[in-house]
């Protein structure tokens, strides 16, 4: 048996070694190479007849001008204006079309994005391999079984390197990893007796059922307007009433909901159930249910996605499908109903996972790109968008991550506030904290798209007197935090990050090196989260039953709901919504600002339990963990802005007051040129590139 296993490993090694991209083609040069993420392995060469939906991202010509528009408060762009900023040059379009035609790909096969900065085309694997001088393999995720056709490197003719930013699916494992979360969680349900800190879990699936939801808190409509946090919040559960008193919005009454909009995202087969949501509101927000108020949602289908309202099937119940979708919707409506709510469901581009066979030969996994291209084509995208899905940043090629981040910037320029959860595994789950680019080197695991500076990243808190950085040892939940290795520290964080390290430097654990060990994290990168909100024992209804769940999947829609309320007040006064929020957030943080400081707790992770006593230690090459005493590695909360909780949790009365006072001025980085300057040449990299210099 051992001999057979050895020969099988040799077979995989031989089959799955990709040739040097571009060999034998002097006009071609390597465009991109990306290492295989640690939890994936190669199965076999891809069959030549299988089809791929190839997405070609052309270089955007005037993105620097769009960035300038992002930092002009109250001035948002139309869909046509945004498209004009990101439209590639005519020369780029011509050169790419000629290249495709040389390979027998006709104009009729091409599907252009609205701004002509993306081309989609369905092609057999063998044609794609010839086009990109690449070799495609079937890869599989070891714990979920999800499969994907990918190449580890690819090339382009040299004259196209400046015209094409990225082509996918090639080296990115982001798309299927997101769909795999549900699969991994289902596999983990049978392993609850194992250490939760070392196993992949989905905190929504591990929710605790509540037999009598009426005992969780007083009803919102039955209480006086002077309720205290002590009266309505307790250790057993977080309800809408608790949130409304804790964050100060209980007595706010919507003024212009018909002018406002909010949205959540589902990736199939996830869904949001209206019956469960109605039951949730009747349990926890009966004051807003009346014949004159409708707390429903509108479904938007992307790539055939559906949001079924039929009773859950036994398979869906067993798998917990619908819990995530319900949580997002219920928290938003519990805060901001009857503000119109949109549910965007992205269809079969994500799930079921791609398993090639004769009946399903197309590998089409690109959920974020599919979602964003659809949203950007709409004349009126939602004012607030809450997203509770993410992946490890290092599983995504940098060029592709930048194009996805660019799309979030475009939404911001249209007036949309994008909100992300900061992740549920702290600095990383033990066993996964290994660098993709430097094998056997431990590293903290940054999350994407949280690391994109064009969205608000929301961490989780627990408790109320005081609130602290969320950590539940029972299920392994730790509020996520960290630093990007792709996106540089944005100017609005220029003061707070160095100040944080000065405050905590004397006690900041080394984790195997200096307090800012570049192997563990990139202190010069974009730091997240920006803010925080409750994320433990949050109430939700699924399949007619009440559960208590943990996760930043609760924190993100909670903060998003508060932004919806602020937008309501702005729109009622004839002012635009908040849109891209980050520069303003960093201008109103600190003493007297819009947030209440979190000073207790730590965002930890990546270390084995009790394996050392000094808080230092070395990397464990076998486990992908940082060896140290449990809880001794991480980013602690501290006075002011900190890496564990950002500015802290929102206090709505002051948040609203500052938003209404804010004049329509440009946010500036301290000089007269704004964020990147008024006349920056197109070849100069924007601020979020790590190394500066030319693009």
């Amino acid at each position: 048996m051992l001999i057979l296993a050895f020969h099988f490993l040799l077979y995989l090694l031989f089959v799955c070694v990709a040739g040097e991209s571009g060999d034998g083609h002097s006009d071609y040069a390597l465009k991109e190479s990306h290492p295989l993420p640690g939890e994936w392995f190669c199965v076999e060469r891809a069959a030549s007849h299988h089809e791929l939906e190839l997405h070609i991202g052309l270089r955007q010509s005037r993105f620097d001008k769009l960035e300038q528009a992002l930092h002009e408060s109250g001035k948002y762009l139309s869909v046509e204006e945004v498209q004009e900023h990101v439209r590639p040059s005519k020369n780029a379009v011509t050169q790419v079309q000629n290249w495709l035609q040389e390979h027998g790909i006709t104009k009729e096969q091409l599907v252009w994005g609205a701004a002509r900065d993306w081309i989609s085309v369905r092609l057999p694997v063998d044609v794609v391999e010839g086009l990109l001088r690449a070799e495609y393999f079937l890869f599989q995720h070891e714990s979920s079984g999800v499969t994907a056709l990918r190449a580890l490197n690819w090339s382009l003719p040299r004259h196209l390197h400046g015209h094409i930013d990225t082509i996918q699916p090639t080296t990115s494992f982001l798309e299927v990893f997101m769909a795999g979360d549900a699969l991994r969680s289902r596999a983990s349900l049978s392993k609850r007796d194992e250490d939760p800190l070392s196993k992949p879990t989905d905190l929504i699936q591990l929710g605790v059922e509540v037999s009598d939801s009426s005992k969780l808190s007083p009803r919102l409509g039955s209480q006086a307007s002077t309720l205290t946090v002590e009266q309505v919040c307790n250790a057993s559960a977080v309800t809408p009433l608790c949130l409304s008193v804790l964050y100060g919005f209980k007595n706010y009454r919507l003024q212009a909901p018909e002018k406002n909009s909010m949205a959540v995202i589902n990736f199939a087969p996830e869904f949001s159930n209206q019956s469960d949501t109605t039951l949730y509101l009747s349990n926890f927000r009966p004051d807003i249910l009346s014949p004159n108020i409708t707390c429903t949602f509108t479904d938007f289908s992307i790539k055939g996605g559906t949001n079924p309202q039929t009773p859950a099937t036994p398979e869906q119940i067993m798998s917990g499908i619908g819990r995530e979708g319900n949580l997002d919707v219920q928290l938003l409506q519990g805060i901001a109903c009857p503000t119109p709510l949109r549910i965007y469901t992205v269809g079969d581009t994500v799930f079921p996972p791609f398993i090639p066979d004769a009946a399903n030969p197309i590998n089409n996994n690109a959920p974020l790109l599919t979602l964003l291209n659809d949203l950007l084509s709409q004349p009126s995208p939602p004012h607030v968008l809450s997203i509770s899905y993410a992946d490890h940043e290092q599983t995504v090629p940098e060029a592709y991550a930048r194009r996805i981040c660019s799309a979030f910037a475009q939404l911001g320029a249209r007036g949309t506030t994008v909100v992300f959860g900061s992740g549920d595994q702290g600095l990383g789950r033990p066993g996964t904290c290994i660098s993709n680019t430097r094998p056997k080197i431990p590293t903290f695991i940054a999350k994407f798209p949280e690391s994109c500076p064009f969205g608000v990243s929301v961490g989780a808190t627990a408790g109320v007197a005081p609130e602290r950085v969320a950590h539940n040892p029972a299920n392994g939940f730790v509020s996520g935090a960290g630093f990007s290795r792709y996106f540089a520290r944005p100017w609005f964080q220029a003061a707070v990050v160095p100040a944080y390290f000065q405050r905590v430097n004397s006690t900041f654990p080394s984790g195997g090196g200096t307090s800012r060990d570049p192997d563990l994290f990139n202190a010069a990168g974009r730091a997240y989260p920006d803010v925080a909100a409750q994320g433990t024992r949050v109430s939700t209804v699924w399949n007619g039953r009440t559960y208590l769940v943990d996760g930043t999947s609760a924190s993100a829609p909670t903060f998003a709901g508060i932004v919806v309320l602020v937008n309501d007040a702005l729109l009622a006064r004839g002012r635009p919504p908040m849109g891209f929020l980050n520069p303003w957030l960093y201008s109103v943080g600190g003493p007297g600002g819009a947030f209440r400081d979190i000073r207790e707790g730590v965002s930890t992770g990546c270390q084995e339990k009790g394996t050392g006593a000094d808080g230092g230690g070395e990397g464990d090459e076998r486990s992908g963990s940082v060896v140290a005493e449990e809880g001794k590695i991480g980013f602690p909360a501290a006075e002011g802005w900190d890496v564990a909780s950002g500015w802290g949790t929102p206090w709505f009365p002051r948040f609203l007051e500052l938003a209404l006072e804010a004049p329509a001025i440009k946010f500036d980085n301290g000089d007269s040129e704004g964020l990147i300057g008024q006349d920056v040449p197109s070849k100069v990299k924007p601020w979020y590139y790590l190394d500066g210099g030319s693009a």
Side-chain angles (χ1 to χ4, degrees), residues 433-435 438-444 485 519-521 618-621 624-626:
C433 301
I434 287 290
S435 170
R438 301 179 64 191
K440 299 184 179 181
I441 300 297
T443 186
F444 297 158
R485 291 193 181 275
D519 286 339
L520 288 179
F521 66 97
E618 300 176 352
D620 184 341
E621 296 179 359
S625 301
V626 178

Side-chain angles (χ1 to χ4, degrees), residues 497-509:
V497 174
Y500 169 73
F501 282 118
Q502 288 177 358
R503 288 195 300 275
V504 303
N505 194 55
S506 61
T507 58
F508 189 77

Side-chain angles (χ1 to χ4, degrees), residues 12-78:
L12 289 181
L13 181 65
F14 175 77
V15 168
C16 297
V17 174
E20 182 67 27
S21 183
D23 281 356
H25 304 275
S26 60
D27 59 326
Y28 270 69
L30 180 68
K31 174 65 175 177
E32 184 175 73
S33 177
H34 191 71
L36 182 67
E39 295 184 73
W40 291 83
F41 65 91
C42 179
V43 177
E44 61 186 5
R45 280 280 275 133
S48 61
H49 67 279
H50 288 311
E51 284 193 341
L52 296 166
E53 183 170 19
L54 208 62
H55 304 281
I56 303 171
L58 280 65
R59 180 70 54 89
Q60 297 168 335
S61 61
R62 299 174 62 229
F63 186 73
D64 58 324
K65 301 299 181 184
L66 182 137
E67 281 191 289
Q68 292 175 18
L70 272 173
H71 300 278
E72 295 181 4
S73 176
K75 181 180 179 181
Y76 299 121
L77 304 181
S78 67

Side-chain angles (χ1 to χ4, degrees), residues 426-672:
L427 311 181
R429 178 168 52 84
T432 66
C433 301
I434 287 290
S435 170
N436 264 9
T437 57
R438 301 179 64 191
K440 299 184 179 181
I441 300 297
T443 186
F444 297 158
I445 302 298
K447 302 301 280 294
F448 182 82
E450 286 92 329
S451 62
C452 171
F454 295 114
V456 181
S457 177
V458 186
T461 58
V464 296
E467 288 187 87
R468 62 187 182 277
V469 177
H471 178 198
N472 184 352
N475 59 18
F477 171 47
V478 183
S479 181
F483 291 83
S484 173
R485 291 193 181 275
Y486 290 169
F487 302 99
R489 181 190 303 159
W491 65 262
F492 48 79
Q493 291 186 328
V496 297
V497 174
Y500 169 73
F501 282 118
Q502 288 177 358
R503 288 195 300 275
V504 303
N505 194 55
S506 61
T507 58
F508 189 77
S510 66
T514 67
S515 62
R516 290 174 237 180
D517 188 337
D519 286 339
L520 288 179
F521 66 97
N522 170 37
R526 185 272 201 267
Y528 68 91
D530 302 297
V531 296
Q534 284 284 312
T536 57
R537 298 187 67 81
V538 178
S539 57
T540 185
V541 173
W542 174 75
N543 195 36
R545 299 176 179 178
T546 298
Y547 292 83
L548 304 178
V549 299
D550 294 351
T552 56
S553 290
S555 309
T558 296
F559 182 80
I562 292 173
V563 177
V564 172
L565 299 184
V566 175
N567 281 344
D568 175 77
L570 292 170
L571 293 165
R573 290 161 174 78
R575 296 180 59 174
M578 301 210 73
F580 176 46
L581 199 54
N582 287 6
W584 184 81
L585 288 181
Y586 281 79
S587 74
V588 299
F595 301 93
R596 294 187 295 190
D597 202 8
I598 305 299
R599 302 185 183 183
E600 295 186 12
V602 58
S603 182
T604 185
C606 284
Q607 78 271 28
E608 301 288 4
K609 297 199 300 181
T611 53
D614 59 1
E618 300 176 352
D620 184 341
E621 296 179 359
R622 296 165 300 171
S623 67
S625 301
V626 178
V627 178
E629 184 179 355
E630 183 183 8
K632 295 298 184 181
I633 289 181
F635 298 110
E639 182 179 356
W641 183 93
D642 59 67
V643 183
S645 65
W647 285 112
T649 55
W651 179 241
F652 176 75
R654 185 59 174 156
F655 196 122
L656 177 61
E657 180 183 13
L658 291 169
L660 294 176
E661 289 176 355
I665 59 174
K666 293 182 180 180
F667 294 108
D668 203 291
N669 65 345
D671 57 42
S672 60

Side-chain angles (χ1 to χ4, degrees), residues 112-134:
W112 291 86
R116 298 182 71 80
D117 59 333
W118 284 98
I119 301 173
S120 297
V121 58
R122 289 189 174 187
L123 299 170
V125 165
D126 58 350
V127 174
V128 176
E129 290 185 331
L131 187 70
L132 303 180
R133 304 299 188 259

